[in-house]
Amino acid sequence: MAVSVEHLKTIPERVFQQLREAIVEGTIPAGTKISEAELAQTYGISRGPLREAISQLAAMGLVERRANVGARVIQMSSDHLLDIFRVREALEGMAARLAAAKMTPEQVQTLMETLDQHGETINEDAGNNYFQESGDLDFHYQVVMGSGSDHLIKLLCNDLYYLVRLYRYQFGMRSKRGPIAIVEHRNIAEAIARGDGEMAELLMRSHIRASRENVERLLTQQN
Amino acid sequence: MAVSVEHLKTIPERVFQQLREAIVEGTIPAGTKISEAELAQTYGISRGPLREAISQLAAMGLVERRANVGARVIQMSSDHLLDIFRVREALEGMAARLAAAKMTPEQVQTLMETLDQHGETINEDAGNNYFQESGDLDFHYQVVMGSGSDHLIKLLCNDLYYLVRLYRYQFGMRSKRGPIAIVEHRNIAEAIARGDGEMAELLMRSHIRASRENVERLLTQQN
DNA sequence: TACAATTTAATTGTCGACAATTTTAGCGGT
DNA sequence: ACCGCTAAAATTGTCGACAATTAAATTGTA
């Protein structure tokens, strides 16, 4: 997932992004203690900027910080995970509604092409969950961007989606909902394309709810 | 609005809260440049901890920060304000739905008593918007807490509600929806009390949407 | 050996000084 | 008087060292 990088002017920003990626990708495993001295040396910087980066990570919920003790990479509980789905259902439902009203024809066109591509990918390679999951976020990302809401974009694209990626790594569950999700995506996109915000929200919420219920099933049968 | 204060152990936390309150209350007016040197001297601290506090303010959207330039208190645009309402509609709708399922009888009891009190206050003193507005947030606060969702609580109570308070100061509009809002609050509370999550969400969203449309009207006729 | 208290070590929190960047002030030319 | 350029001042970014707190190790005792 390429992230626009143009202005990593300041050290905290750059280190924040690097740490965020390392945590999400699992390079720094869940529960790991974030040692300031160690990381400062690793990145060749002072502890000041590093602390600011850690604060940002704490603010978005990727690490938990306790005064005079330090920060640890969060390890997600089932409750925490299901909670995220509920917030996504609310926010992305609204995003879909707004996208139906505000997306430009070009954006809709791009969205459709993305879906076509996902459909092919899944046929060619039914077992590969990587592209599947990555593609899933791609779709949601585009819808949120299409909503034109700065707050929704910030909350979802800058915060929640990283938690989603983290959970996918930590729980590592293969969903098998891929083909169904593709169809649901297409239905949502068509509602957006015809400007039916009400329906777009309904379908998006239903889509995320189904995803949550699926995860809920996997969690209960696995414990 | 009393905030639990038990552990303002570290300087950044304490200063963050103080600055947040000063900004929301208008003590530091909109658009004001946040001078690090000046504030550090004012609070009698070093610039390090102060910068962390400013980062937190930037993360929650109360100030805007630019590298090598500094931070300024945000001045809310109409678009920004309406955007907040849409996010609130989505999040608080979900909060009400969850609250209907998870609120304890004691919490419901407290909620009802709060509403009784608001009703009296408004009758005694129909023109006083202070208690009205303050009471409004009180109600929403209790519902969100009742949802039991850590994420919703964080997003709404720790972030968005401060922006709401800020906008109420910056725009300073007297809504006159007070009596109507009270009735809407009561309907929402009753839906929650009887465990009807679907209806609670519907009513909450309708309530916030009405509030937004009212603000929208005031904005267009005033410009 | 197990446990508790005390001392030691390691880690986080805070500070003051220096470096880099931006903004302001001053100057000369047209 | 106005505009562009240069230099100075002010502000933010970064660093290294010290203080305060917490976690670990050691010792003493039952």
Side-chain angles (χ1 to χ4, degrees), chain B residues 170-197:
Chain B
Q170 285 196 11
F171 287 77
M173 23 180 82
R174 310 265 166 258
S175 63
K176 289 177 184 163
R177 279 190 75 249
I180 300 176
I182 288 278
V183 174
E184 292 173 350
H185 286 179
R186 178 135 263 143
N187 289 336
I188 295 168
E190 283 170 0
I192 290 175
R194 84 178 91 96
D196 187 347

Coordinates of all heavy atoms in Angstrom, one line a residue, chain B residues 170-197:
Chain B
Q170 N -17.1 29.6 19.1 CA -16.7 30.4 18.0 C -17.8 31.0 17.2 O -17.8 32.1 16.8 CB -15.8 29.6 17.0 CG -14.4 29.4 17.5 CD -13.4 28.9 16.4 OE1 -13.8 29.0 15.2 NE2 -12.2 28.5 16.8
F171 N -18.9 30.2 17.0 CA -20.0 30.6 16.3 C -21.0 31.3 17.2 O -21.8 32.2 16.8 CB -20.7 29.5 15.5 CG -19.9 29.0 14.3 CD1 -18.7 28.2 14.4 CD2 -20.2 29.4 13.0 CE1 -18.0 27.8 13.3 CE2 -19.5 29.0 11.9 CZ -18.4 28.2 12.1
G172 N -21.1 30.8 18.4 CA -21.9 31.4 19.4 C -23.4 31.6 19.0 O -24.0 32.6 19.2
M173 N -23.9 30.6 18.4 CA -25.3 30.7 17.9 C -26.3 30.1 19.0 O -26.1 29.1 19.6 CB -25.5 30.0 16.6 CG -24.5 28.9 16.3 SD -24.9 28.1 14.7 CE -24.1 29.3 13.6
R174 N -27.3 30.8 19.2 CA -28.4 30.4 20.1 C -29.4 29.7 19.3 O -30.0 30.2 18.4 CB -29.1 31.7 20.7 CG -28.0 32.6 21.3 CD -27.8 32.4 22.8 NE -26.6 33.0 23.3 CZ -25.5 32.4 23.5 NH1 -25.4 31.1 23.2 NH2 -24.4 33.0 24.0
S175 N -29.7 28.4 19.7 CA -30.4 27.6 18.7 C -31.9 27.6 18.8 O -32.6 27.4 17.9 CB -29.9 26.1 18.9 OG -30.3 25.7 20.2
K176 N -32.5 27.9 20.0 CA -33.9 27.9 20.2 C -34.5 26.5 20.0 O -35.7 26.4 20.0 CB -34.6 28.9 19.2 CG -34.3 30.4 19.6 CD -34.9 31.3 18.6 CE -34.6 32.8 19.0 NZ -34.8 33.7 17.9
R177 N -33.7 25.5 19.7 CA -34.2 24.2 19.6 C -34.3 23.5 20.9 O -34.8 22.4 21.0 CB -33.3 23.3 18.7 CG -33.6 23.5 17.2 CD -32.8 22.5 16.4 NE -33.5 21.2 16.4 CZ -33.0 20.1 17.0 NH1 -31.9 20.2 17.7 NH2 -33.7 19.0 17.0
G178 N -34.0 24.2 22.0 CA -33.9 23.6 23.3 C -35.1 22.7 23.7 O -34.9 21.5 23.9
P179 N -36.3 23.3 23.7 CA -37.5 22.5 24.1 C -37.7 21.3 23.2 O -38.0 20.2 23.7 CB -38.6 23.5 23.9 CG -38.0 24.9 24.1 CD -36.6 24.7 23.5
I180 N -37.5 21.5 21.9 CA -37.6 20.3 21.0 C -36.6 19.3 21.3 O -36.9 18.1 21.3 CB -37.5 20.8 19.5 CG1 -38.6 21.8 19.2 CG2 -37.7 19.6 18.6 CD1 -38.5 22.4 17.8
A181 N -35.4 19.7 21.5 CA -34.3 18.8 21.7 C -34.6 18.0 23.0 O -34.3 16.7 23.0 CB -33.0 19.6 21.9
I182 N -35.1 18.6 24.0 CA -35.5 17.9 25.2 C -36.4 16.7 24.9 O -36.2 15.6 25.4 CB -36.1 18.8 26.2 CG1 -35.1 19.8 26.8 CG2 -36.8 18.0 27.4 CD1 -34.3 19.2 27.9
V183 N -37.4 17.0 24.1 CA -38.4 15.9 23.8 C -37.7 14.8 23.0 O -37.9 13.6 23.3 CB -39.5 16.5 22.9 CG1 -40.4 15.4 22.5 CG2 -40.3 17.5 23.7
E184 N -36.8 15.2 22.1 CA -36.1 14.2 21.3 C -35.2 13.4 22.2 O -35.1 12.1 22.1 CB -35.2 14.9 20.2 CG -36.1 15.5 19.1 CD -35.3 16.4 18.1 OE1 -34.1 16.6 18.4 OE2 -35.9 16.8 17.1
H185 N -34.5 14.0 23.1 CA -33.7 13.3 24.1 C -34.5 12.3 24.8 O -34.1 11.1 25.0 CB -33.1 14.3 25.1 CG -32.0 15.1 24.6 ND1 -31.3 16.0 25.3 CD2 -31.4 15.1 23.3 CE1 -30.3 16.6 24.5 NE2 -30.4 16.0 23.3
R186 N -35.7 12.7 25.3 CA -36.6 11.8 26.1 C -37.0 10.6 25.2 O -36.9 9.4 25.7 CB -37.8 12.5 26.6 CG -38.8 11.7 27.3 CD -39.2 12.4 28.6 NE -38.5 12.0 29.7 CZ -38.1 12.9 30.7 NH1 -38.4 14.1 30.7 NH2 -37.4 12.4 31.8
N187 N -37.3 10.8 24.0 CA -37.7 9.7 23.1 C -36.5 8.7 22.9 O -36.7 7.5 22.9 CB -38.1 10.2 21.8 CG -39.5 10.9 21.8 OD1 -40.3 10.6 22.8 ND2 -39.8 11.8 20.9
I188 N -35.4 9.3 22.7 CA -34.2 8.4 22.6 C -34.0 7.6 23.9 O -33.8 6.4 23.8 CB -32.9 9.2 22.3 CG1 -33.0 9.9 20.9 CG2 -31.7 8.4 22.3 CD1 -32.0 11.0 20.7
A189 N -34.0 8.2 25.0 CA -33.8 7.6 26.3 C -34.8 6.5 26.5 O -34.5 5.4 27.0 CB -33.9 8.6 27.4
E190 N -36.1 6.7 26.1 CA -37.1 5.7 26.3 C -36.8 4.5 25.4 O -37.0 3.3 25.8 CB -38.5 6.2 26.0 CG -39.0 7.1 27.2 CD -40.2 7.9 26.9 OE1 -40.7 7.8 25.7 OE2 -40.7 8.6 27.8
A191 N -36.4 4.7 24.1 CA -36.0 3.6 23.3 C -34.9 2.8 23.9 O -34.9 1.6 23.9 CB -35.6 4.1 21.9
I192 N -33.9 3.5 24.4 CA -32.8 2.8 25.1 C -33.3 2.0 26.3 O -32.9 0.8 26.5 CB -31.7 3.8 25.5 CG1 -31.0 4.4 24.3 CG2 -30.7 3.2 26.5 CD1 -30.0 5.5 24.7
A193 N -34.2 2.6 27.0 CA -34.7 2.0 28.3 C -35.4 0.7 27.9 O -35.3 -0.3 28.7 CB -35.6 2.9 29.0
R194 N -36.1 0.6 26.8 CA -36.8 -0.6 26.5 C -36.0 -1.5 25.6 O -36.5 -2.5 25.1 CB -38.2 -0.2 25.8 CG -38.1 0.1 24.3 CD -39.5 0.3 23.8 NE -39.8 1.8 23.8 CZ -39.6 2.6 22.8 NH1 -39.2 2.1 21.6 NH2 -39.9 3.9 22.9
G195 N -34.7 -1.2 25.4 CA -33.8 -2.0 24.7 C -34.0 -2.1 23.2 O -33.5 -3.0 22.5
D196 N -34.6 -1.1 22.7 CA -34.9 -1.0 21.2 C -33.7 -0.3 20.5 O -33.8 0.9 20.3 CB -36.2 -0.3 21.0 CG -36.6 -0.4 19.5 OD1 -35.8 -0.8 18.6 OD2 -37.8 -0.1 19.2
G197 N -32.7 -1.0 20.2 CA -31.5 -0.4 19.6 C -31.8 0.2 18.3 O -31.3 1.3 18.0

